[in-house]
Amino acid sequence: MGPIMGRMRKATRLWSDPESRIAARHVMVGQEDSRGVFRAAPREWFGRYAPLEVEIGAGKGAFILERARSFATRDFLAVELPLSVVRVLAARAGRSGLPNIRVLQADARSLVGFLLPESTVSVYHVYYPDPWPKARHAKHRLFSPHFVAGLARTLVERGVVYVASDVKPWAEHIFSALELGGFVAESEQVPGIVAAGFGRKYAAQGRPLFARAFRRPSAARRPSHGP
Ligand SMILES: C[S@@+](CC[C@H](N)C(=O)[O-])C[C@H]1O[C@@H](n2cnc3c(N)ncnc32)[C@H](O)[C@@H]1O
């Protein structure tokens, strides 16, 4: 059985358990409103005003669940795209009983590009984003100038992006895309380098890992896109 089939079977098994489904529904956000319009409204999702950390491509939640447990005064949004992954992530997040975590099924590029309100995110975590090395798959890549501009738009003043990858050319591409977007590299320490699910696996295999923390450009230094 391939990894995708295995993942789908696991999600189906988990989803057939009513307790998992109920737990998952407590943390899943972002349903359409009564007019069928999707709104990203983080403050409403958490019912309070606290610093918001967003993990893009959270996988099964190894990193963000631990982080939410450690920082009770912060809110955490875990974003994933395929339904099979979202179900596992939401069941785990719901069963954790943590009050400060929510799960959203979305393409992070739309979320960051135009759905999230301006200046709402304190920290983005992006660990081991898929590199999509083949040219014909390039359209699936996360990092583009538009995505980087979205990160800058949605981050608060002094907001941070943490990134890690095991693929050197992809890491270099991401780092230079962020720098071109006005972000300032601050450190090679990121909280999820080993704590993220893939990070744990890669570190155990002894693979070199490439990580960096970037600070949001101040409003004056942000490159302008378009006329
Ligand atoms: C290599 S995995 C890493 C998962 C997790 N960060 C970890 O380290 O265990 C990349 C994840 O990004 C998710 N992903 C890819 N493109 C995405 C997108 N456009 N929006 C949201 N999630 C995405 C995939 O579904 C996948 O779970």
Side-chain angles (χ1 to χ4, degrees), residues 54-84:
V54 177
E55 185 177 9
I56 291 174
K60 294 184 207 156
F63 168 73
I64 200 161
L65 285 168
E66 210 35 62
R67 181 114 173 141
R69 195 167 281 121
S70 306
F71 294 92
T73 57
R74 298 180 153 247
D75 289 334
F76 294 86
L77 179 65
V79 184
E80 258 299 340
L81 189 54
L83 187 59
S84 57

Coordinates of all heavy atoms in Angstrom, one line a residue, residues 54-84:
V54 N 0.2 30.8 13.1 CA -0.4 29.9 12.1 C 0.6 29.0 11.6 O 1.8 29.4 11.2 CB -0.9 30.9 10.9 CG1 -1.5 30.0 9.8 CG2 -1.9 31.9 11.4
E55 N 0.3 27.7 11.5 CA 1.2 26.7 10.9 C 0.6 26.3 9.5 O -0.5 25.8 9.5 CB 1.4 25.4 11.7 CG 2.5 24.6 11.0 CD 2.9 23.3 11.7 OE1 2.3 22.9 12.7 OE2 3.9 22.7 11.2
I56 N 1.4 26.5 8.5 CA 0.9 26.2 7.1 C 1.5 24.8 6.8 O 2.7 24.6 6.9 CB 1.5 27.3 6.2 CG1 0.7 28.6 6.5 CG2 1.3 26.9 4.7 CD1 1.3 29.8 5.7
G57 N 0.6 23.9 6.4 CA 1.0 22.6 6.1 C 1.3 21.9 7.4 O 2.4 21.4 7.6
A58 N 0.4 21.8 8.4 CA 0.6 21.3 9.7 C 0.7 19.8 9.8 O 1.1 19.3 10.9 CB -0.4 21.9 10.7
G59 N 0.4 19.1 8.7 CA 0.5 17.7 8.7 C -0.4 17.1 9.8 O -1.6 17.5 9.9
K60 N 0.1 16.2 10.6 CA -0.8 15.5 11.6 C -0.7 16.3 12.9 O -1.3 15.9 14.0 CB -0.3 14.1 11.9 CG -0.5 13.2 10.7 CD -0.1 11.8 11.1 CE 0.3 11.0 9.9 NZ 1.2 9.9 10.2
G61 N 0.0 17.5 12.9 CA -0.1 18.4 14.1 C 1.0 18.2 15.1 O 0.8 18.7 16.2
A62 N 2.0 17.4 14.9 CA 3.0 17.1 15.9 C 3.5 18.3 16.5 O 3.6 18.5 17.8 CB 4.1 16.2 15.3
F63 N 3.9 19.3 15.7 CA 4.5 20.5 16.2 C 3.5 21.4 16.9 O 3.6 21.9 18.0 CB 5.2 21.3 15.0 CG 5.6 22.7 15.5 CD1 6.6 22.9 16.3 CD2 4.8 23.8 15.0 CE1 7.0 24.2 16.7 CE2 5.2 25.1 15.5 CZ 6.2 25.3 16.3
I64 N 2.4 21.7 16.2 CA 1.5 22.8 16.7 C 0.7 22.4 17.9 O 0.4 23.2 18.8 CB 0.5 23.3 15.5 CG1 0.0 24.7 15.9 CG2 -0.6 22.3 15.2 CD1 -0.6 25.5 14.7
L65 N 0.4 21.1 18.1 CA -0.2 20.6 19.3 C 0.7 20.8 20.5 O 0.2 21.3 21.6 CB -0.6 19.2 19.2 CG -1.9 18.9 18.3 CD1 -2.0 17.4 17.9 CD2 -3.1 19.4 18.9
E66 N 1.9 20.5 20.3 CA 2.9 20.7 21.4 C 3.0 22.2 21.8 O 3.1 22.6 22.9 CB 4.2 20.0 21.0 CG 5.0 19.5 22.1 CD 4.2 18.9 23.3 OE1 3.5 17.9 23.0 OE2 4.3 19.4 24.4
R67 N 3.1 23.0 20.7 CA 3.3 24.4 20.9 C 2.1 25.0 21.6 O 2.2 25.9 22.5 CB 3.5 25.0 19.5 CG 3.8 26.5 19.5 CD 5.1 26.9 19.1 NE 5.3 28.3 19.0 CZ 6.4 29.0 19.3 NH1 7.4 28.3 19.8 NH2 6.5 30.3 19.2
A68 N 0.9 24.6 21.2 CA -0.3 25.2 21.8 C -0.4 24.8 23.3 O -0.9 25.5 24.1 CB -1.6 24.6 21.0
R69 N 0.1 23.6 23.5 CA 0.1 23.1 25.0 C 1.1 24.0 25.8 O 0.8 24.3 26.9 CB 0.5 21.6 25.0 CG 0.3 20.9 26.3 CD 0.4 19.4 26.2 NE -0.7 18.8 25.5 CZ -0.7 18.1 24.4 NH1 0.5 17.9 23.8 NH2 -1.8 17.6 23.9
S70 N 2.2 24.4 25.2 CA 3.2 25.1 25.9 C 2.9 26.6 26.0 O 3.4 27.3 26.9 CB 4.6 25.0 25.2 OG 4.9 23.7 25.0
F71 N 2.0 27.2 25.1 CA 1.8 28.6 25.1 C 0.3 28.9 25.2 O -0.4 29.2 24.2 CB 2.4 29.3 23.9 CG 3.9 29.2 23.8 CD1 4.5 28.2 23.2 CD2 4.6 30.2 24.4 CE1 5.9 28.1 23.2 CE2 6.0 30.2 24.4 CZ 6.7 29.1 23.8
A72 N -0.2 28.7 26.4 CA -1.7 28.8 26.6 C -2.2 30.2 26.3 O -3.4 30.4 26.1 CB -2.0 28.4 28.0
T73 N -1.4 31.2 26.4 CA -1.9 32.6 26.2 C -1.9 33.0 24.7 O -2.2 34.1 24.4 CB -1.0 33.6 27.0 OG1 0.3 33.5 26.6 CG2 -1.1 33.4 28.5
R74 N -1.5 32.1 23.9 CA -1.5 32.3 22.4 C -2.5 31.4 21.7 O -2.8 30.4 22.2 CB -0.1 32.0 21.8 CG 1.0 32.9 22.4 CD 2.3 32.7 21.9 NE 3.1 33.9 22.0 CZ 3.5 34.6 21.0 NH1 3.3 34.2 19.7 NH2 4.1 35.8 21.1
D75 N -3.0 31.9 20.5 CA -3.9 31.1 19.8 C -3.1 30.5 18.6 O -2.2 31.1 18.0 CB -5.1 31.9 19.3 CG -6.0 32.3 20.4 OD1 -6.0 31.5 21.4 OD2 -6.6 33.3 20.3
F76 N -3.6 29.3 18.1 CA -2.9 28.5 17.1 C -3.9 28.0 16.0 O -4.9 27.4 16.3 CB -2.1 27.3 17.7 CG -1.0 27.8 18.6 CD1 -1.3 28.1 19.9 CD2 0.2 28.0 18.1 CE1 -0.3 28.6 20.8 CE2 1.3 28.4 18.9 CZ 1.0 28.7 20.3
L77 N -3.5 28.4 14.8 CA -4.3 27.9 13.7 C -3.5 27.0 12.8 O -2.4 27.3 12.3 CB -4.8 29.1 12.8 CG -5.6 28.8 11.6 CD1 -7.0 28.2 12.0 CD2 -5.8 30.1 10.7
A78 N -4.0 25.7 12.7 CA -3.3 24.7 11.8 C -4.0 24.6 10.5 O -5.2 24.4 10.4 CB -3.4 23.4 12.6
V79 N -3.2 24.9 9.4 CA -3.8 24.9 8.1 C -3.3 23.7 7.3 O -2.1 23.4 7.2 CB -3.4 26.2 7.3 CG1 -4.1 26.3 6.0 CG2 -3.8 27.4 8.2
E80 N -4.3 23.0 6.7 CA -3.9 21.8 5.8 C -4.9 21.8 4.6 O -6.0 22.4 4.7 CB -4.0 20.5 6.6 CG -2.7 19.9 7.0 CD -1.7 19.6 5.9 OE1 -2.2 19.5 4.7 OE2 -0.5 19.5 6.1
L81 N -4.4 21.1 3.6 CA -5.2 21.1 2.3 C -6.0 19.8 2.1 O -7.2 19.9 2.0 CB -4.3 21.5 1.2 CG -4.9 21.8 -0.2 CD1 -6.0 22.8 -0.1 CD2 -3.8 22.2 -1.2
P82 N -5.4 18.7 2.0 CA -6.2 17.5 1.7 C -7.1 17.1 2.8 O -6.6 17.1 4.0 CB -5.1 16.4 1.4 CG -3.8 17.0 1.5 CD -3.9 18.4 2.2
L83 N -8.3 16.7 2.5 CA -9.3 16.3 3.5 C -8.8 15.2 4.4 O -9.0 15.2 5.6 CB -10.6 15.9 2.8 CG -11.8 15.7 3.8 CD1 -12.1 16.9 4.7 CD2 -13.0 15.3 3.0
S84 N -8.0 14.2 3.8 CA -7.6 13.0 4.6 C -6.6 13.5 5.7 O -6.7 13.0 6.8 CB -6.9 12.0 3.7 OG -5.8 12.6 3.0

